[in-house]
Amino acid sequence: MKIATFNINGIKARINALPDWLKEAEPDVVLLQEIKSIDENFPREIFEDMGYNVETHGQKSFNGVAILSKLPLEDVSRGLPGDDSDEQARWIEATVVGEQAVRVCGLYLPNGNPVELDQEGAPIEGGKYAYKLAWMERLHTRAKQLLEDEMPALMAGDYNIIPQPEDAARPTAWEGDALYRPESHEAWRKILNLGFTEAFRARNQAPENYSFWDYQAGAWNRNDGIRIDHFLLTPQCADLLLECKIDSEVRGREKPSDHTPVWVELAA
DNA sequence: ATGGCGGAAAGATTCCGA
């Protein structure tokens, strides 16, 4: 089973690039982020005609996540639990029924910039960085529950986290940024340390592997990128891991997203 | 350090992302 994650930066803007990539990459399941569309406006027929089941969790203008799957999807759930007042569409999960059932969670973790701190250095309540860290606390809670289920499960998407220096072309440029701050790293490590496997690094230790390049200043041509799109696998899912790859070349095409697809192949 | 680009909604500019 091939499962991909792809922050498309707007479904309308990627109306050609996404189907083109699907036809050649042929993933069984795709977790999409930043569809930037309400559910009613998502062009589901395009993907249904390609054999995909479509489940969306959209909102107006920003954010929005979706799952495309050639295999049946069961028990679809929208929204990350833990804060009923959170109206941002950043989480969707479902069970994919293949040879084995796999629980897949698609996420678009808050960026968190600008970082606003009080005199003591604590994130200011109501600010974007506090929202990011609070969201990661809720993610930690959901992650623990997934482990308790003891079934193959994964959480994948745009984490807006640069895990290590080797995950950025210019790591020093990111010091102090919400994607690279100590509090962000601590929250990331806390989730990993529950017992998740980060799929890409389980298969590849090399630097200069990125999943995002800014549109500005020729970042793609200079390979000035960062690796922020990740797969976290439960132990039962990590046992099924065959490969994890980044489709970098997609970033160099006509009208690209600023992110590129990342995928895993599972023996499921 | 900032936001030079790009997307969306609104509507000839502003907000947002990373």
Side-chain angles (χ1 to χ4, degrees):
Chain A
M1 187 188 296
K2 182 174 181 177
I3 305 176
T5 178
F6 191 4
N7 180 325
I8 54 174
N9 191 16
I11 186 59
K12 264 175 83 178
R14 234 53 65 202
I15 202 66
N16 293 316
L18 178 57
D20 286 350
W21 171 73
L22 289 172
K23 278 171 207 153
E24 65 185 56
E26 297 188 318
D28 299 295
V29 182
V30 188
L31 305 169
L32 298 175
Q33 299 90 42
E34 285 205 86
I35 63 173
K36 294 187 175 180
S37 159
I38 57 174
D39 295 334
E40 293 73 21
N41 291 348
F42 191 87
R44 51 189 307 129
E45 302 77 17
I46 292 175
F47 305 102
E48 286 169 348
D49 290 348
M50 296 174 71
Y52 286 99
N53 299 296
V54 178
E55 296 287 347
T56 61
H57 180 39
Q59 71 178 91
K60 200 173 180 180
S61 302
F62 305 111
N63 307 323
V65 288
I67 305 178
L68 311 180
S69 177
K70 291 192 172 178
L71 295 160
L73 291 173
E74 294 182 352
D75 301 320
V76 181
S77 179
R78 293 167 174 79
L80 181 61
D83 182 359
D84 292 339
S85 70
D86 185 0
E87 296 186 347
Q88 299 194 34
R90 297 178 174 275
W91 179 268
I92 187 169
E93 56 177 90
T95 298
V96 181
V97 186
E99 285 174 39
Q100 295 189 55
V102 180
R103 188 73 178 166
V104 298
C105 306
L107 66 99
Y108 176 42
L109 204 149
N111 174 294
N113 285 305
V115 174
E116 297 173 292
L117 307 174
D118 65 19
Q119 303 272 354
E120 279 80 44
I124 289 173
E125 205 154 331
K128 293 194 173 177
Y129 194 48
Y131 175 64
K132 177 177 194 152
L133 295 177
W135 205 93
M136 292 186 81
E137 274 292 330
R138 291 160 59 199
L139 179 59
H140 180 263
T141 300
R142 183 71 192 103
K144 269 196 296 188
Q145 294 166 346
L146 284 172
L147 290 171
E148 287 165 6
D149 293 340
E150 297 188 346
M151 72 177 281
L154 59 82
M155 307 188 296
D158 178 357
Y159 277 76
N160 271 312
I161 293 280
I162 304 167
Q164 303 269 24
E166 59 268 31
D167 297 313
R170 295 180 299 116
T172 54
W174 294 93
E175 285 170 10
D177 191 281
L179 280 66
Y180 199 66
R181 284 188 61 82
E183 302 89 339
S184 305
H185 281 150
E186 187 181 344
W188 163 256
R189 294 297 318 171
K190 193 175 157 192
I191 294 165
L192 273 179
N193 291 341
L194 290 170
F196 285 85
T197 294
E198 202 252 276
F200 187 77
R201 285 304 182 210
R203 279 286 175 278
N204 190 332
Q205 298 303 306
E208 297 178 13
N209 280 283
Y210 310 126
S211 65
F212 169 91
W213 296 259
D214 202 294
Y215 287 122
Q216 301 181 69
W220 165 250
N221 291 321
R222 296 186 293 113
N223 197 25
D224 181 6
I226 51 178
R227 195 175 68 89
I228 57 175
D229 298 270
H230 310 299
F231 277 86
L232 297 191
L233 315 180
T234 65
Q236 295 78 10
C237 189
D239 285 345
L240 304 174
L241 179 63
L242 299 173
E243 315 188 60
C244 180
K245 292 271 167 65
I246 304 176
D247 282 350
S248 312
E249 79 284 352
V250 173
R251 180 63 179 79
R253 297 182 183 174
E254 286 293 301
K255 257 186 100 57
S257 168
D258 41 9
H259 294 252
T260 198
V262 184
W263 53 268
V264 293
E265 181 75 44
L266 302 180

